[in-house]
């Protein structure tokens, strides 16, 4: 168990910067999830921590010790790979014992640790099997066992569930969560799936194009996304974005106008903005209300998806091509072709400036 | 109905005739050598396609020559050494060429391939000078050196191709487990590379076992010769007599180990040669 600190960490491949000035504090025993679209650098960041890639610039410390130049085996980290990468010619037992053997651990200790790990992961029955005789979920558990057997201070997971089918993924997700509760060790987990991130993490790190967009608890990221990117990435279905203009505003609140919605009084602090500035309004599908309407300002319903417990209503946008989504509990009265007005809940509306940064809620209101 | 059945029959017949022709073409020379070796010298020149009498006097004759037995030993020594050295260098080189990124990797691969394209005769005189300079003339070590030069390019290419296909994450898993490159090669990659090693090793063995030109040029005395040269130099009682019987007996004797080896590694060779054709 250990904390991890990244201080202005950079990674450059050739001339292409992959990781740009990442600062991060990961506490002892925390479950941190790196999430972001493919190519955002989340796996590279994990590999930097593992020691599989060298750090171009900046400092990486584990438990207070700078480890930039330490090889992986001296960093006390264990890693679970996306493809599991089990040694195909070794049995489950040998797979888990390999690292301990190389560390010249006493035979009895190896046996004890492997058996203890196997018990936690329910692998006792499978110890004599080769990886090819295991199912996907079992291989996944062996991969975790191999990483755990050496009792690393930090466990790293690189998209460990992406090779499993949907139902098994939910099951393994639960097992990993319970494993963390049980071991209490620091875990860093990479995924592109925001559901995995939301359900597993104590702390989510959203990455985009090699930079940290926002760090926070799942709740913070959902409630107060710092940028438009985070707002669009966290939450499913994704947040609706509408172009808007600032009418008036100061540090206590503002009024904005959006096409098809009209003027809205919002609690955001717009002291830094000038009237007439272009903004983006963000509303989650679950924070919209629909009302029957007619005329130019009404939105047309183009599709209705029934999911059993809830209904998604898709609306033709006034600008752009992305359909707007409204989400409500089933049953829903709305039908394709109907014209409706959008009524957002002002308390749940997000406002982004021209640089896609979220505008903060006015201080007086935020306390209330 | 009957015509269709007839076409089927003809097609089948045609297939087996073709198989018979191929088999005859491939196996008959060897078969005739076996028969000849089992004939007493008096019957050598009567043409027959069957073994009439089992006469092992030719075999007794060649094995009673100490120089022939010595030649077999030399051949084994040279061939096994060549296989061992080629595989050791091939594996380590293929790790570097297949796994480590460095500038000029492709150039190195092409140079290695280029070396294997020279005909033996072209480098014979140069290699002779090298062997004289290294004081390896008339010494099996000289043959080991020269055969390895010609075997290595093939070995390195096949093993590199194979090494490249092993998943990157497997190596990284080994690194995370604290393995050095040498441990990764010997304990993770080597067990997975047996098919490729069996193939390349066997081909290297066959090449070294059958080689004639270098063996003739770089050895002088009977006790340093390898089998192909020894067979060629088996002579009869006079200038006009070619001792076919003992020559055939010797040829059959030295072919048997190869046949046995191929039988043993048959399955591995196939999987080694097709490795890379499909993923898996």
């Amino acid at each position: 168990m250990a904390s991890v600190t990244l201080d202005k960490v950079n990674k450059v491949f050739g001339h292409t910067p992959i990781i740009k000035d990442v600062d991060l504090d990961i506490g002892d025993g925390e479950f941190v999830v790196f999430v972001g679209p493919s190519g955002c650098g989340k796996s590279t960041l994990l590999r930097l921590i593992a020691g599989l890639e060298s750090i171009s610039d900046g400092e990486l410390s584990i438990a207070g010790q700078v480890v930039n130049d330490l090889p992986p085996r001296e960093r006390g980290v264990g890693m679970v790979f996306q493809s599991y990468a089990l040694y195909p010619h070794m049995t489950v037992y040998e797979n888990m014992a390999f690292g301990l053997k190389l560390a010249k651990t006493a035979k009895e200790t190896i046996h004890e640790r492997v058996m203890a790990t196997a018990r936690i992961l329910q692998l006792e029955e499978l110890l004599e099997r080769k990886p090819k005789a295991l199912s996907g979920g079992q291989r996944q558990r062996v991969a975790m066992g191999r990483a755990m057997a050496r009792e690393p201070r930090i466990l790293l997971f690189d998209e460990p569930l992406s090779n499993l089918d949907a139902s098994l993924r939910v099951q393994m997700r639960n097992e990993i969560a319970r494993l963390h509760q049980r071991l209490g060790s620091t875990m860093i987990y990479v995924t592109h799936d925001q559901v995995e991130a939301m359900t597993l993490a104590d702390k989510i790190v959203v990455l985009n194009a090699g930079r940290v967009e926002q760090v926070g608890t799942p709740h913070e990221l959902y409630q107060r996304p710092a940028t438009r990117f985070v707002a669009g990435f966290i939450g499913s279905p994704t947040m609706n974005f509408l172009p808007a203009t600032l009418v008036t505003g100061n540090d206590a609140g503002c009024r904005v106008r959006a096409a098809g919605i009209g003027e809205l009084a919002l609690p955001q602090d717009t002291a830094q903005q000038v009237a007439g500035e272009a903004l983006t309004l963000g509303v989650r599908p679950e924070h919209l209300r629909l009302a029957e309407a007619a005329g130019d300002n009404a939105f047309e319903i183009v599709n209705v998806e029934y999911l059993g417990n809830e209904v998604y209503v898709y609306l033709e946008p006034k600008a752009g091509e992305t359909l707007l989504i409204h989400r409500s509990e089933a049953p829903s009265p709305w039908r394709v072709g109907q014209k409706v007005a959008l009524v957002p809940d002002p308390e749940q509306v997000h406002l982004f400036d021209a640089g896609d940064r979220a505008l903060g809620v006015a201080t007086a209101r935020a306390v209330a | 109905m009957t015509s269709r059945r007839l076409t089927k029959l003809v097609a089948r017949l045609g297939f087996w005739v073709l198989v018979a022709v191929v088999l005859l073409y491939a196996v008959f020379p060897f078969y005739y050598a076996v028969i000849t070796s089992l004939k007493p010298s008096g019957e050598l020149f009567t043409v027959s396609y069957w073994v009439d009498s089992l006469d092992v006097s030719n075999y007794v004759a060649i094995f009673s020559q100490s120089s022939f037995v010595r030649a077999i030993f030399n051949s084994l020594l040279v061939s096994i050494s060549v296989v061992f050295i080629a595989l050791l260098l091939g594996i380590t080189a293929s790790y570097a060429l297949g796994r480590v990124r460095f500038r000029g990797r492709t150039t190195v691969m092409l140079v290695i391939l280029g070396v294997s394209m020279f005909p033996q005769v072209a480098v014979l005189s140069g290699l002779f000078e090298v062997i004289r300079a290294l004081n390896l003339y008339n010494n099996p070590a000289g043959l080991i050196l020269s055969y390895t030069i010609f075997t290595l390019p093939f070995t390195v290419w096949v093993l590199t191709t194979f090494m490249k296909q092993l998943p990157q994450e497997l190596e990284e898993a080994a690194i995370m487990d604290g393995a050095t490159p040498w441990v990764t090669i010997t304990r993770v990659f080597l067990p997975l590379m047996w098919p490729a090693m069996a193939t390349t090793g066997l081909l290297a063995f066959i090449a070294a076992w059958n080689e004639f030109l270098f063996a003739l040029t770089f050895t002088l005395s009977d006790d340093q010769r390898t089998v192909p040269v020894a067979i060629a130099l088996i002579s009869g009682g006079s200038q006009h007599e070619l001792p076919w019987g003992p020559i055939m007996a010797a040829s059959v004797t030295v072919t048997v180990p190869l046949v046995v080896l191929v039988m043993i590694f048959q399955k591995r060779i196939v999987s080694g040669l097709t490795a890379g054709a499909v993923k898996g």
Side-chain angles (χ1 to χ4, degrees), chain B residues 56-255:
Chain B
V56 292
S57 61
N58 290 327
Y59 288 89
V60 174
I62 55 160
F63 276 103
S64 58
Q65 283 180 34
S66 67
S67 66
F68 183 75
V69 179
R70 174 82 204 192
I72 289 185
F73 172 76
N74 285 339
S75 269
L76 278 175
L77 174 75
V78 169
S79 304
I80 290 171
S81 305
V82 167
V83 169
F84 186 76
I85 294 172
L87 284 183
L88 181 74
L89 293 178
I91 282 275
T92 42
S94 69
Y95 178 77
L97 291 166
R99 285 285 160 179
V100 185
R101 285 168 171 276
F102 58 89
R103 199 180 285 266
R105 185 164 71 161
T106 320
T107 319
V108 172
M109 290 293 283
L110 288 177
V111 167
I112 291 173
L113 188 68
V115 167
S116 66
M117 289 181 182
F118 286 98
Q120 278 188 316
V121 183
V123 295
L124 188 65
S125 52
L127 208 53
F128 187 78
E129 285 303 317
V130 171
I131 280 174
R132 284 283 298 270
L134 292 173
N135 213 5
L136 294 176
Y137 182 67
N138 198 24
N139 185 334
L143 293 182
I144 294 171
L145 175 76
S146 46
Y147 295 172
T148 307
I149 292 174
F150 276 84
T151 308
L152 257 183
F154 174 77
T155 315
V156 169
W157 265 78
V158 171
L159 293 181
T160 302
T161 317
F162 204 84
M163 189 79 92
K164 272 185 183 163
Q165 290 166 358
L166 296 175
Q168 180 78 37
E169 287 195 333
L170 204 59
E171 185 182 358
E172 287 174 351
I175 293 173
M176 295 304 295
D177 270 336
T180 57
W182 179 248
V183 171
T184 310
I185 292 174
T186 50
R187 295 184 55 183
V188 177
F189 285 162
L190 216 60
L192 301 175
M193 291 187 65
W194 275 118
M197 291 186 39
T199 311
T200 48
L202 192 65
L203 291 175
F205 186 90
I206 292 173
W209 185 262
N210 287 339
E211 206 284 334
F212 179 75
L213 184 62
F214 287 170
L216 181 68
T217 317
F218 300 153
T219 54
L220 184 67
S221 55
D222 270 353
D223 58 347
Q224 301 298 334
R225 282 204 179 103
T226 57
V227 159
V229 182
I231 292 175
L233 295 183
I234 292 175
S235 50
S238 78
Q239 196 180 341
H240 303 287
E241 188 201 340
L242 203 50
W244 281 116
I247 288 178
M248 287 302 132
S251 304
V252 170
T253 308
V254 301
T255 313

Side-chain angles (χ1 to χ4, degrees), chain A residues 186-328:
Chain A
T186 311
M187 293 187 180
I188 306 176
Y189 186 106
V190 163
T191 180
H192 59 263
D193 180 356
Q194 57 101 14
V195 177
E196 271 175 36
M198 294 294 274
T199 50
L200 284 169
D202 294 327
K203 187 153 91 184
I204 297 180
V205 179
V206 182
L207 290 156
N208 183 28
R211 282 183 202 284
V212 174
E213 287 275 328
Q214 190 175 1
V215 181
T217 63
H219 185 73
E220 281 166 3
L221 260 59
Y222 179 81
Q223 290 294 332
R224 292 272 162 258
T227 64
R228 183 175 163 174
F229 177 83
V230 177
F233 198 81
I234 302 291
S236 172
T238 182
M239 187 185 276
N240 297 303
F241 295 104
L242 298 137
T245 336
L246 184 65
V247 180
T248 58
N250 54 30
D251 59 2
C254 63
R255 292 186 71 80
V256 298
R257 185 185 295 116
I261 292 182
E263 264 188 34
L264 276 176
L266 296 174
Q268 269 84 358
D269 172 358
T270 54
Q272 307 298 316
Q273 272 66 36
V274 290
E277 202 175 304
L279 302 172
T280 306
L281 202 72
V283 197
R284 296 201 182 277
E286 51 271 39
H287 299 146
L288 268 181
R289 218 159 39 77
L290 300 183
E292 259 183 276
D296 285 349
N297 271 347
F299 292 83
E300 191 185 341
I301 296 176
V302 293
N303 192 17
V304 177
E305 284 181 347
Y306 172 74
L307 278 81
N309 60 336
E310 53 186 15
V311 175
Y312 298 163
V313 175
Y314 292 86
L315 308 165
E316 183 74 38
K318 297 284 177 198
E321 293 189 348
T322 315
L323 295 177
L324 301 173
I325 311 173
H326 163 261
R327 168 180 171 181
S328 63

Side-chain angles (χ1 to χ4, degrees), chain A residues 125-136:
Chain A
E125 312 281 304
L126 309 171
L127 286 174
E128 295 311 313
R129 295 223 200 141
K130 293 262 175 78
K132 66 175 177 228
L134 300 176
S135 70

Side-chain angles (χ1 to χ4, degrees), chain A residues 60-83:
Chain A
L60 168 71
S61 328
I62 295 176
Q65 182 199 7
V66 177
V67 296
N68 280 32
D69 298 322
L70 283 188
R73 64 174 176 279
E74 288 168 34
R75 293 189 184 193
V77 293
M79 184 153 167
V80 179
F81 293 89
Q82 183 175 355
S83 67

Side-chain angles (χ1 to χ4, degrees), chain A residues 147-164:
Chain A
M148 282 161 51
R150 284 189 311 135
E151 298 182 348
R153 299 183 289 181
I154 301 158
L155 267 175
L156 309 174
F157 297 86
D158 189 4
E159 307 215 12
L161 304 185
S162 52
N163 282 355
L164 301 176

